[in-house]
Structures are given as structure tokens and as C-alpha cells.
Amino acid sequence: MDYFSISGGDPLRGSVRVRGAKNAVLPILAAGLLSEETLRIPNAPKLSDVKTMLTLLEAMGCRVQRDDDGAVEVEAKGDIIWEATWDHVRQMRASICVLGPLVGRFGRAKVSLPGGCVFGVRPIDMHIKGLAALGAKITLEEGFIEAVVPGHESGARLPGGEVFLGTPAGPTVTGTMNVLMAATLAEGRSVIHGAACEPEVGDLIKCLNSMGARISGEGSPTLIIEGVERLGGATHAVIPDRIEAGTYLMAGAITGGRVRVEGCVPGHLSAPIDAMESAGYVFEMGEDWIEIAPRRERPRPVDVTTQPYPGFPTDLQAQMMALMALADGTSVITDRIYPDRYMHLAELLRLGAHIRRQGSSAIIEGIPSLSGAPVTASDLRASAALVMAGLVAKGTTTVHRVYHIDRGYQRIDERIGELGGRISRLSE
Ligand code: EPU
């Protein structure tokens, strides 16, 4: 198993180009199931999660192709198996994104229930509610969701319908995507109220519309979908990964370096940039780049609450906590989306941080420096936070189980190395 060995203390300096967004490409690959023609993503990031999705689609009978330059193709022609097994879904929760396309196109789907994950229960009741509102009959048995469109054997399609998808924590991103994808091939018109407004949802809409779907309301909480009989192929470049961009900016911040993130959409990062500006960091921005200037003093403490987009993303919460661990004062981070997403907290304590948990919040008493130690990654974003902390901790930090980080950051060790960080990938 691979691990990282990091010698802390060097400020990161230079440019890094972000890749296509993981959370855009995964549902978009699943959208390939909606058509028998080819869907091509020229800029898919080389991530293990992308490989997992392609393996699932291949097991379902799709033709998939991955070129050396990162381009990916999916073609769902011929006999498609409308089932996703526990073996696939347990590897990656985003496998649930095949549910909506299968019901929409084939009128049938059997997908393993994903279960919980390290940061909480993560229900999928809204995915089910949404598909039922469009006209699917849903049963939950033996760990599977089975969705059937009545009369599908004789060619009946989903009728379409109207549904509110909000949860107490806000809208659901993949829930919105599943219902949206199913509704594209419904008989009639569907309306989703309380839809997620994340840029990745907008990117999926753009891709579906270029396949021939008729969706309006992109970027708003109300999406209107006029069902069409069939969708065609498309070539769609996915949006840049805003979480990857935010992570490199925060890595620049914590090391007191100057990092320019290229190929990003600055507008997608307004909440994290605002939080970092409150902490005293200064940014320069262009149309598709952001540069953080070095700050010699410790960051000022900033309270942050995660929220649905355009609020502060839960996927940058762990990284912000690493930064605040070194703040000149006490800050409070609250995760409203995933109140239990704090596996990184105990690992940051191993590096000397002073953090305590109180319900869905973490109270962080900033200290002047961290000291290196062995730590274990528990999930993707927690691993990124531990790498960031290791880059500034005194001495050596080893981050174990880095397969988590390879799920969502393409070659993070090499790229941090190119920015001057001393990090090496070793095997144990
Ligand atoms: N929720 C429900 N019922 C549902 C669905 C969600 O109550 O049916 C709740 C969740 O428990 C949570 C909130 O709604 O409190 C939002 O969850 P959401 O469904 O939006 O999460 P998701 O779609 O499963 C995506 C990303 C996550 C990211 C969240 C929140 C993908 C593949 N995953 O998950 O990304 O944290 O949205 O923004 O898009 C990551 O990249 O590290 C990651 C975990």
C-alpha cells in the first residue's frame, strides 16, 4: 500500500493547472447510459474514481475507451445490464448515478444501496422520492433499490412529474442529478424544486442538452425538463475541479507560498476565497487563474460554516481546518452538510493541533507550529488536509492509506513536488 513521506517547511511556489472536475465527470459518464451513441469527454481526469465508474459501465455492457491523453468515451449500445452490484457500489458511492439513467432509458434498474460512509449515514431517500414522483415503482429489498416503469416491457416510458428534493441539510447534488437524468427521457414535462445549484449540476445539464435533452433553469433551484424520445451522442469537456483548485490554494496558504492555480473558474470559489481573505490572504485573479500571495504572519482565525453552493463547500472543510490549526487565535468550523465529517480531526491532533469537537462543530485553537508524525487518511478530503499539514509541520509526516487521495487528486505528490514541496510516494 502506498504512503507519502513529507518533510515540512518549504513554501510552495509556482503554477499548477487543475483538471476536469471529479464530481462532474462521474455523473456525466453515467449519463452515457442515456444514449446508444458515443459520449466523449476529452478532459476526464486520471483518477481511480473515474476508473471505477468505467469498470462499472463496462460490466453493465457499455463500450468504454480511455485514451492516454485522458479522453474517455462511453457507448451504451446493444444489451445493457440494468444492474449495479454491491461490489461496484461499495467501492464508490457515486455509482448510484447510474440509477436515474437506467430508469429513464430502460424503464428498469436494480442498484445496490450504498450504505453509510466514514462521514455519516448519507441517505438516498431523495433519489427514491424523485424517481417515484416521475412515475417509477420503487422497492427496496435485499440491499437493492429496484425501480420499474409500469409497462416498460411494451415500451412505456416514465410519465414525468413534479417534485421537491430539499433535505434538512439543503439540496442533494447526486439526487438532483439522478432525477434530472431520468426525466430527460420521460413522456412529459418534469419539474424539480429545491434542486442543487452546484456548478457540477450545471455542467451535467449542459452535457445533457448537447445530447438533445431539453432542460432549463440551470444554476437555479427550479429545473424544468421537457422529456424527449431519445438522446444522441456528444463531446463535452467537463468544468475544472473547484475543490482541487481550492486545495492547492490552501496548500499555498498554509506553507506561506505563492501558488498560481491555472485553468480554474474563480467564480466557483468565491466562498473559500472570501474565507481565506478574512484570514488575511491576498489574491490576484484573471479570467481562468487565481494566485495567492505569500503571507508571513499566521492566518487570522475565521469561523466557517459549510453550506450548499455558493456557500463554503464541505469538500474544503478538512483543508480549512488544517489552515486554521495554525491561526493566530480560535476559530469554529461547522459542517452543516455532513455533521460527522471529522475523521481528520484526530489525525491533526497527532500533529500537535489543538482542536475539539462540539456537535457538528470543531473548535480550533490555533498554535504556532505543527510537528510531523505518522497519520492515517480516512477519506479523500481528509487526506488532502493531512498532506497540507505535513507540508508545514516540523520534521517528517507520513500519510498512510493514500489510495483515498488518488480517488480525487491526479498525481498530487508529483504536482506538489513540482511546486517545491518535499513529498515522496513510498510503498509499505
Ligand atoms: N441527503 C439526504 N437524502 C438524500 C440525499 C442527501 O438527506 O437522498 C443529505 C445528505 O445526508 C447531506 C446532504 O443531503 O447532508 C447533501 O448530500 P448530497 O446528496 O448533496 O451529497 P452527494 O450527492 O452524495 C456530492 C459529492 C460529495 C460532496 C456532496 C456535498 C459527488 C459524486 N459527490 O455527494 O463529494 O461532499 O455532494 O457537496 O458529487 C467528495 O468529492 O469528496 C465528496 C464527498
Side-chain angles (χ1 to χ4, degrees), residues 100-122:
L102 287 176
V103 188
R105 171 142 172 240
F106 302 101
R108 275 208 90 147
K110 187 174 174 191
V111 176
S112 173
L113 283 159
C117 83
V118 290
F119 46 92
V121 182
R122 299 189 74 181

Side-chain angles (χ1 to χ4, degrees), residues 43-99:
N43 65 338
K46 290 185 183 168
L47 302 172
S48 61
D49 270 7
V50 170
K51 204 167 154 205
T52 305
M53 182 57 92
L54 293 175
T55 307
L56 167 62
L57 293 170
E58 202 163 28
M60 294 168 79
C62 299
R63 180 188 69 81
V64 304
Q65 187 179 311
R66 165 123 241 185
D67 298 345
D68 287 344
D69 62 0
V72 170
E73 281 184 9
V74 177
E75 194 182 80
K77 201 159 141 183
D79 290 335
I80 298 297
I81 303 159
W82 33 263
E83 187 170 332
T85 62
W86 168 228
D87 266 354
H88 287 114
V89 179
R90 76 171 162 183
Q91 271 188 56
M92 182 181 73
R93 289 185 63 89
S95 307
I96 192 75
C97 291
V98 300
L99 178 63

Side-chain angles (χ1 to χ4, degrees), residues 22-23 122-126 169 172-174 315 337-338 381:
K22 167 181 88 72
N23 289 345
R122 299 189 74 181
I124 54 153
D125 51 327
M126 291 300 134
T172 157
V173 176
T174 51
D315 292 341
I337 311 291
Y338 296 119
R381 309 304 172 188

Side-chain angles (χ1 to χ4, degrees), residues 1-6 373-377 387 396-403 405-406 413 423-428:
M1 211 181 279
D2 285 1
Y3 69 99
F4 289 157
S5 175
I6 306 168
V375 288
T376 305
V387 167
T396 302
T397 298
T398 51
V399 182
H400 298 263
R401 300 197 175 202
V402 296
Y403 59 85
I405 210 162
D406 294 331
D413 46 326
I423 176 168
S424 30
R425 184 184 286 259
L426 303 165
S427 268
E428 54 193 339

Side-chain angles (χ1 to χ4, degrees), residues 314-338:
T314 173
D315 292 341
L316 284 173
Q317 179 259 108
Q319 299 88 317
M320 189 70 190
M321 190 180 294
L323 187 60
M324 287 297 101
L326 292 162
D328 192 10
T330 301
S331 59
V332 180
I333 292 185
T334 305
D335 201 320
R336 280 229 185 117
I337 311 291
Y338 296 119

Side-chain angles (χ1 to χ4, degrees), residues 71-374:
V72 170
E73 281 184 9
V74 177
E75 194 182 80
K77 201 159 141 183
D79 290 335
I80 298 297
I81 303 159
W82 33 263
E83 187 170 332
T85 62
W86 168 228
D87 266 354
H88 287 114
V89 179
R90 76 171 162 183
Q91 271 188 56
M92 182 181 73
R93 289 185 63 89
S95 307
I96 192 75
C97 291
V98 300
L99 178 63
L102 287 176
V103 188
R105 171 142 172 240
F106 302 101
R108 275 208 90 147
K110 187 174 174 191
V111 176
S112 173
L113 283 159
C117 83
V118 290
F119 46 92
V121 182
R122 299 189 74 181
I124 54 153
D125 51 327
M126 291 300 134
H127 302 234
I128 294 170
K129 176 183 167 188
L131 294 174
L134 300 186
K137 295 281 165 262
I138 315 269
T139 46
L140 300 182
E141 241 172 319
E142 296 174 349
F144 281 88
I145 315 167
E146 211 163 337
V148 177
V149 177
H152 73 94
E153 307 86 345
S154 40
R157 289 152 57 196
L158 275 172
E162 191 151 346
V163 67
F164 173 72
L165 285 185
T167 82
T172 157
V173 176
T174 51
T176 300
M177 291 166 157
N178 255 331
V179 180
L180 184 63
M181 289 192 275
T184 55
L185 291 175
E187 288 278 357
R189 159 191 253 241
S190 303
V191 183
I192 303 176
H193 300 281
C197 299
E198 269 66 6
E200 293 75 17
V201 177
D203 200 34
L204 173 65
I205 293 176
K206 204 168 154 215
C207 174
L208 292 169
N209 281 346
S210 55
M211 292 167 77
R214 291 176 59 206
I215 304 164
S216 56
E218 185 208 317
S220 85
T222 307
L223 300 176
I224 300 168
I225 308 110
E226 305 287 351
V228 296
E229 214 166 304
R230 58 178 296 282
L231 294 179
T235 295
H236 176 83
V238 293
I239 53 169
D241 199 310
R242 62 193 165 102
I243 305 301
E244 188 188 27
T247 302
Y248 284 119
L249 290 173
M250 287 189 190
I254 203 168
T255 60
R258 179 183 290 282
V259 171
R260 180 190 280 239
V261 173
E262 290 176 345
C264 61
V265 179
H268 288 171
L269 285 150
S270 47
I273 285 185
D274 183 66
M276 284 198 278
E277 279 175 345
S278 302
Y281 292 95
V282 174
F283 294 90
E284 247 189 273
M285 274 175 234
E287 205 181 315
D288 67 348
W289 58 270
I290 309 174
E291 184 171 305
I292 182 162
R295 179 180 159 86
R296 278 183 225 297
E297 306 82 46
R298 289 162 62 190
R300 292 196 292 261
V302 187
D303 293 347
V304 164
T305 299
T306 69
Q307 284 172 326
Y309 187 82
F312 192 97
T314 173
D315 292 341
L316 284 173
Q317 179 259 108
Q319 299 88 317
M320 189 70 190
M321 190 180 294
L323 187 60
M324 287 297 101
L326 292 162
D328 192 10
T330 301
S331 59
V332 180
I333 292 185
T334 305
D335 201 320
R336 280 229 185 117
I337 311 291
Y338 296 119
D340 290 320
R341 193 178 195 174
Y342 286 120
M343 297 293 282
H344 44 285
L345 194 156
E347 300 303 305
L348 290 172
L349 296 185
R350 291 184 50 73
L351 301 177
H354 290 185
I355 312 174
R356 62 184 194 279
R357 169 109 183 252
Q358 209 167 74
S360 62
S361 298
I363 297 155
I364 306 135
E365 283 170 44
I367 52 167
S369 63
L370 297 171
S371 69

